[in-house]
Amino acid sequence: MQRRTATTAAALAGIVLTTAAVAAPSYAAESKSPTTSVSAAPHAKGPRSDGAKRLCVRVPRLEKRIDKRIKRIEGPVNMPGSIKYLEQRIDLAQKADHAAVAKFLGDRLTARKGFLTTLKKEQTDLKGVATWCAAHKGGAKQPAGATS
């Protein structure tokens, strides 16, 4: 009885697999380029707004995030992620005669100092955005004739 069940099950599985292989569509025959698909078509009118209202909502969170990162980067020697912490790691690597590690950490230090400069620039830009948002009611849309 078990042998008959196993044989029947194997035969049914073979039939199902054969039917699925025959009925399956051939994707190789239909090679559509991605540029002709509907989802890749460009928008006819472009963006609907400059996103000022949403940006005005995000300003407080962005300010907190940037302040937190600046505070960490400018932090003391015992704060991981600070420039002073990284400089101390470079000194320790040089003392241990690990030149490759010291070079790698030096490159990270250069990048981190550049990131600090970028964050400070973004911080001043964001203050200007916050001032604009306060003056324009949180980025609410103005009538078509109004300009600022």
Side-chain angles (χ1 to χ4, degrees), residues 45-118:
K45 297 180 183 178
R48 295 182 185 184
S49 74
D50 63 353
K53 186 174 181 181
R54 184 69 189 134
L55 181 59
C56 289
V57 170
R58 294 180 58 212
V59 165
R61 285 181 286 165
L62 292 172
E63 287 176 332
K64 285 180 188 176
R65 184 180 307 150
I66 289 173
D67 290 342
K68 183 179 174 182
R69 288 179 178 172
I70 289 173
K71 183 179 176 183
R72 184 186 70 235
I73 290 174
E74 292 180 336
V77 176
N78 62 351
M79 180 179 283
S82 71
I83 289 174
K84 292 178 183 175
Y85 183 86
L86 195 51
E87 288 171 341
Q88 184 182 29
R89 287 184 62 195
I90 292 169
D91 290 340
L92 292 172
Q94 288 171 343
K95 287 178 185 175
D97 198 30
H98 297 156
V101 174
K103 182 184 180 322
F104 174 75
L105 293 174
D107 292 343
R108 286 182 60 190
L109 178 64
T110 304
R112 191 160 298 163
K113 285 180 179 178
F115 186 53
L116 179 62
T117 305
T118 302

